Amino acid sequence: MGNERAGPVRVAISNDFELVVFGVAQMLAPFGDRVAVVDSAVGGEDIDRRVDVALFDTFGHPNSGVDEVARLVADPDVGQVAVFTWDFDPAVVDRLRRQGARGYLSKAMPAADLVTALEQIAAGHDVVSVDPILDRHSDGHRDWPGRGRGLSERESEVLILVAEGMSNLDVAAALNISINSVKTHIRSAYRKLDVSTRAQAVRRVLDLGMVRPQAS
């Protein structure tokens, strides 16, 4: 497949949360001459238009979204699949690449670098970011559930999985982090939400609408 293109790379953004999809789209918007977001898939929706790259944001997905990656790879309307994540555990990277993801991209990368990576993936190249070893994000355009209440993206992920009934141990396994990291994120989130118990935290998550859409 050649590197010359007749127009911008056609991209679909996939995640279970509409806010996340919107945030990534906003991040790419200034580069419309190079990347065109032509579709989105929220909560397991199908991609309805032919795209060069499906960019799968792993936010809130247990097991790093391996099932969703497999589904996107098998979709005939998807040219290539790129994972957008902060999880660079070597076993996870290897598993998702073997599943068929041509890109494994860090959420810490600047928007211009993300656009370049999407162009390279659309041209048939494998692109894997260097592990940023960062628990933060550098771009201010993206958003996630609970950000307006001061929650970090990881704190939000942890609380959403807790609200779905996972134990701390289950959350640690789902997000490929240590149990101590889960406890640290929970304590920090409790302070920010002004709650002191798990039940209060779940209620606050529900009240704030930080929930995964139910499949229809």
Side-chain angles (χ1 to χ4, degrees):
M1 187 174 182
N3 290 326
E4 296 298 324
R5 304 192 58 82
V9 174
R10 294 165 56 85
V11 175
I13 302 171
S14 175
N15 184 265
D16 277 356
F17 298 88
E18 185 174 0
L19 186 62
V20 173
V21 171
F22 176 77
V24 179
Q26 288 292 101
M27 181 181 181
L28 297 174
F31 303 89
D33 59 327
R34 297 169 61 190
V35 171
V37 178
V38 299
D39 202 359
S40 62
V42 179
E45 294 175 339
D46 291 331
I47 292 175
D48 297 323
R49 304 177 68 181
R50 174 69 187 177
V51 296
D52 302 305
V53 182
L55 181 61
F56 172 56
D57 188 321
T58 63
F59 176 87
H61 275 270
N63 302 317
S64 303
V66 64
D67 292 339
E68 183 63 12
V69 168
R71 188 179 73 85
L72 290 170
V73 168
D75 190 331
D77 286 330
V78 174
Q80 310 291 353
V81 175
V83 172
F84 195 41
T85 185
W86 59 5
D87 186 354
F88 278 78
D89 180 282
V92 175
V93 176
D94 182 63
R95 183 167 70 237
L96 292 184
R97 291 192 69 196
R98 284 190 286 107
Q99 198 70 53
R102 295 297 295 269
Y104 201 92
L105 309 178
S106 168
K107 287 186 175 183
M109 66 195 315
D113 291 349
L114 174 60
V115 170
T116 298
L118 291 172
E119 290 174 328
Q120 293 172 339
I121 293 163
H125 302 293
D126 290 336
V127 180
V128 180
S129 298
V130 176
D131 185 351
I133 320 178
L134 293 173
D135 192 16
R136 64 180 177 84
H137 302 284
S138 59
D139 188 89
H141 293 292
R142 293 187 308 101
D143 212 341
W144 55 85
R147 184 181 184 184
R149 298 302 298 265
L151 295 176
S152 72
E153 190 166 356
R154 185 61 100 187
E155 289 165 352
S156 178
E157 285 186 303
V158 168
L159 284 187
I160 288 168
L161 295 181
V162 166
E164 291 179 354
M166 285 193 179
S167 68
N168 288 0
L169 192 61
D170 290 336
V171 172
L175 298 179
N176 296 289
I177 58 178
S178 70
I179 187 68
N180 286 336
S181 292
V182 171
K183 292 176 180 178
T184 297
H185 290 309
I186 287 176
R187 286 195 297 269
S188 177
Y190 279 16
R191 288 195 299 271
K192 293 175 180 180
L193 296 181
D194 193 26
V195 299
S196 57
T197 68
R198 204 175 190 88
Q200 290 173 345
V202 170
R203 172 52 57 187
R204 188 61 55 85
V205 166
L206 295 175
D207 289 345
L208 293 173
M210 295 169 52
V211 292
R212 201 184 309 273
Q214 297 296 312
S216 56

